[in-house]
Amino acid sequence: MNTIRSIEAIIPPPAPHMVGNGFRVHSFFPGGRINKKRMSPFFLMDYNSKIEFPPTDVPRGVGVHPHRGFETVTIAYKGRIAHHDSAGNSGIIGEGDVQWMTAASGLLHKEYHEESFSKEGGIFQMVQLWVNLPARDKMTPPKYQEVTNNLMGKYQLPANKGEIEIIAGEFNNIKGAATTFTPMHVYNARLKKDAEIEFDFPSNYNTGILVIEGSVIINDQPVPTDHFVLFNNDGNKISVRTDEDAVLLILSGEPIDEPIAQYGPFLMNTQDEVEQALRDVNAGKFGVLED
Ligand code: MN
């Protein structure tokens, strides 16, 4: 098949809210016209659009909290983020880096601005995705993939018109750095002025593009900064061109066709499994992590 995938909606950033005191996010989904399955396997996308945080000696962020049944993927565009979890993993990511944390059977973690960034203050911009896991993988052990920028696959556009960073999946036979449980593609496209590029995903893959920097023309429609393009599942080709430098986050994945039961930080298939997760947290089965 070789048909254009049409645009379902160009969604402006929803009113932001704070997550802890460190993340001022636009929750693009689930919510609004994008229900809990519409972007599956991507369940949630919180976008911290650019904001300047003043210097502080007490790093801002989100304190210790649990997760079970999915993965949190944090993509840093500006600023630096530190992570610690009860599986014993920790890391710091900076501009252009990604942390891909598989909570799966369950862990506690905390997410903060990195210490020196906090002391200096500055512009902060990032995305957090919640990537769902299929029932067969929800109770696998937690793991942590630190996907620094140098580990990502890179496709160079001709004539120095930019590059595609392949975080997961593949593009033009170049593989991404992160391993995933179900098929998906996650890229950052860093495009120069007057770039042209085409993306080709199976039509059943749920697909969206978030404009992080600049503005772009997607399938001949102009899309401003901080807007999210939701595509129909009616074709495979997407064309992108630029008349200024731009950065795009590109998501496309095979849907997980299973029931969803979500309560707060637990993303399971049934209400019984959510209640079990609550009991397991209260019984200390998610480990120990100091605030
Ligand atoms: Mn979290």
Side-chain angles (χ1 to χ4, degrees):
M1 191 168 65
N2 188 12
T3 54
I4 296 291
R5 179 192 280 268
S6 65
I7 291 174
E8 178 177 322
I10 297 173
I11 302 172
H17 65 273
M18 292 302 294
V19 177
N21 67 352
F23 305 95
R24 189 207 56 168
V25 302
H26 310 277
S27 289
F28 274 94
F29 60 83
R33 66 187 299 144
I34 305 182
N35 69 28
K36 290 180 177 184
K37 284 190 164 183
R38 179 64 187 85
M39 275 297 294
S40 174
F42 310 101
F43 173 80
L44 174 149
M45 184 175 76
D46 273 354
Y47 173 42
N48 188 130
S49 61
K50 267 185 214 164
I51 183 175
E52 182 160 2
F53 283 102
T56 175
D57 288 331
V58 183
R60 299 177 178 90
V62 190
V64 174
H65 59 279
H67 289 297
R68 172 180 280 180
F70 64 102
E71 303 179 287
T72 64
V73 176
T74 306
I75 305 167
Y77 294 98
K78 300 282 180 198
R80 292 190 298 281
I81 303 159
H83 159 93
H84 295 268
D85 70 43
S86 59
N89 294 306
S90 64
I92 292 167
I93 58 165
E95 299 188 10
D97 300 331
V98 172
Q99 62 177 36
W100 197 295
M101 188 199 72
T102 306
S105 65
L107 47 61
L108 306 174
H109 81 157
K110 54 185 179 179
E111 304 161 87
Y112 280 95
H113 297 187
E114 181 268 334
E115 198 172 341
S116 66
F117 173 79
S118 298
K119 282 188 172 21
E120 293 158 18
I123 304 285
F124 190 77
Q125 186 184 29
M126 59 127 239
V127 166
Q128 185 166 92
L129 301 168
W130 289 14
V131 176
N132 202 359
L133 293 172
R136 64 166 190 272
D137 296 317
K138 281 192 184 295
M139 295 301 284
T140 58
K143 67 174 182 176
Y144 181 77
Q145 300 176 75
E146 192 165 276
V147 183
T148 50
N149 194 270
N150 62 303
L151 298 176
M152 295 174 188
K154 305 273 175 76
Y155 169 83
Q156 305 295 327
L157 275 74
N160 283 323
K161 291 297 181 186
E163 67 179 8
I164 310 299
E165 298 171 348
I166 303 119
I167 298 165
E170 61 172 46
F171 180 76
N172 275 11
N173 298 316
I174 300 169
K175 289 202 185 316
T179 58
T180 65
F181 287 82
T182 60
M184 73 191 73
H185 305 285
V186 179
Y187 317 142
N188 277 323
R190 299 184 187 273
L191 304 175
K192 302 292 188 194
K193 182 180 188 301
D194 297 323
E196 278 189 53
I197 190 155
E198 201 169 69
F199 298 96
D200 185 342
F201 305 117
S203 59
N204 70 311
Y205 278 33
N206 292 322
T207 299
I209 296 180
L210 178 64
V211 180
I212 302 286
E213 290 278 354
S215 60
V216 293
I217 300 111
I218 298 179
N219 291 356
D220 295 323
Q221 289 201 53
V223 184
T225 311
D226 295 342
H227 283 51
F228 180 72
V229 183
L230 175 67
F231 292 91
N232 285 309
N233 294 72
D234 59 352
N236 57 327
K237 300 258 191 208
I238 295 167
S239 72
V240 175
R241 68 197 158 81
T242 58
D243 41 31
E244 60 182 348
D245 290 1
V247 178
L248 310 177
L249 172 63
I250 296 170
L251 307 174
S252 186
E254 184 180 83
I256 298 170
D257 187 18
E258 294 179 3
I260 288 176
Q262 186 223 354
Y263 175 73
F266 311 117
L267 185 50
M268 307 303 292
N269 296 111
T270 69
Q271 194 56 36
D272 280 356
E273 291 167 348
V274 166
E275 286 162 18
Q276 186 64 50
L278 279 164
R279 284 195 294 274
D280 288 350
V281 168
N282 290 333
K285 290 183 180 172
F286 280 42
V288 177
L289 186 65
E290 280 181 24
D291 227 330

